[in-house]
Amino acid sequence: MKDEARRGLADAARLVVKIGSALLVDPQSGRLRRDWLDALAGDIAAARARGQEVLVVSSGAIALGRRHLGLSSGPLRLEESQAAAAVGQIRLAHAYQEALARHGLGVAQILLTLGDTEERRHYLNARSTLNTLLKLGAVPVINENDTVATSEIRYGDNDRLAARVAQMVSADCLVLLSDIDGLYTADPASDPAAVFLPEIRELTPEIEAMAGEPRSGLGKGGMVTKLAAARIALGAGCRMVIASGSVMRPLSAIAEGARATWFIPKASPKTARKQWIAGSLQPAGSLTVDAGAVRALKGGKSLLPAGVTAVEGGFERGDAVLVQDPDGRPVGRGLCAYGAADARRIMGRQSGEIAAILGTPGRDEMIHRDDLVID
Ligand code: GLU
């Protein structure tokens, strides 16, 4: 597994690391485990020094906040956990800021709700904010916006949230750090015959059936939510690893081959995204392009507004559209960076004119090549 581990972790261009509450917050005292966080910051800095982009999805707000509000250790009512999250999140963000600042890294806090990852316009906004932060060199530290999420419309666990984030930014590796070192055929705490599974390539019903209930008292995730995360990650072409975070510098430990369960997708994030664009979307309109643009697209370029001669349909930004040649023959399909109304205003124009025409700066490409599939 050592090679698999190295390739998965050290070769990832974009890495999402999910930290469970039980690692960050001491279950007895309810205090932040600063030494552990400092060591993790060292791992993150090492990844950044290798040229990798890192996003952190961190739990722990509720676990940290409850002590400060003097809430009992039993289960919390929704409004109590929301109050605890409000108090804990500020401390959590501050702790990351301090720990990463020692390595010269800036931190950006992002609080997401279920709607931000499930509704297209919100999703696109969150995605471009995250991409911008990464481009500018900050480490996004993400959590669910627990203070406003109601029970019907919340993730509740950060395993699935982290997988959605990985999908959103086309990450190629998702690390779930928790208090268990991977997936077993049964709960190893209660069943001595439980067998450890180092590598999974497909989520069969047998694998799904192996997930038990969570054991830790602090976080919300158990094996069920971890396998739900694996389903999202594999579908997005992202490798996922479940590993124990209880050691110091857990990312280094995984890269050196520590025991962990790897989930290996069939496709890369780019291919998975393209398959999704090619297969599952109903085009909401079409763009007709000139002969020069057809040649450029076939040569692997993005579609620029200058090459577009007609826009049909009433699509919104991020919708799938058909791309056709001057004779109406399909060339491919892709996700349009502009809604139909704006697309009509900028078609045939140079990218440098977009800001003046629309009144706000926009993307240079009508369809970026990563969002485009040529027939
Ligand atoms: N968002 C919750 C918190 O920060 C944790 C959810 C989870 O345990 O996965 O406290």
Side-chain angles (χ1 to χ4, degrees), residues 19 81 97 126 157 203 218 228 232 243 252 334 347 349:
I19 322 277
S81 59
Q97 189 186 28
D157 67 271
L203 289 171
L218 282 177
I232 297 168
S252 309
M347 69 181 188
R349 309 292 286 266

Side-chain angles (χ1 to χ4, degrees), residues 18 21 58-63 143-144 146 156-158 219-221:
K18 182 258 170 176
S21 300
S58 183
S59 306
I62 297 172
N143 197 358
E144 183 161 19
D146 291 309
D157 67 271
N158 277 358
K220 283 283 183 292

Side-chain angles (χ1 to χ4, degrees), residues 90-104:
I90 198 165
R91 290 174 184 270
L92 191 62
H94 199 240
Y96 275 100
Q97 189 186 28
E98 264 182 12
L100 286 162
R102 284 197 200 111
H103 301 274

Side-chain angles (χ1 to χ4, degrees), residues 266-330:
K266 294 198 176 76
S268 69
K270 209 164 173 180
T271 326
R273 188 166 162 78
K274 295 221 169 189
Q275 281 165 353
W276 176 72
I277 292 168
S280 64
L281 300 168
Q282 187 67 26
S286 67
L287 303 178
T288 305
V289 304
D290 62 23
V294 173
R295 268 195 307 279
L297 297 182
K298 294 205 161 146
K301 298 271 189 332
S302 297
L303 176 63
L304 301 177
V308 179
T309 56
V311 175
E312 257 161 66
F315 52 89
E316 285 184 46
R317 185 163 83 86
D319 275 341
V321 294
L322 275 179
V323 179
Q324 52 191 35
D325 71 8
D327 301 322
R329 282 185 303 242

Side-chain angles (χ1 to χ4, degrees), residues 14 16 55 127 130-131 134 164-171:
R14 230 170 229 197
V16 176
L55 300 96
R127 184 164 70 126
L130 289 170
N131 281 330
L134 292 171
R164 277 275 186 250
V165 167
Q167 177 186 46
M168 198 183 255
V169 299
S170 301

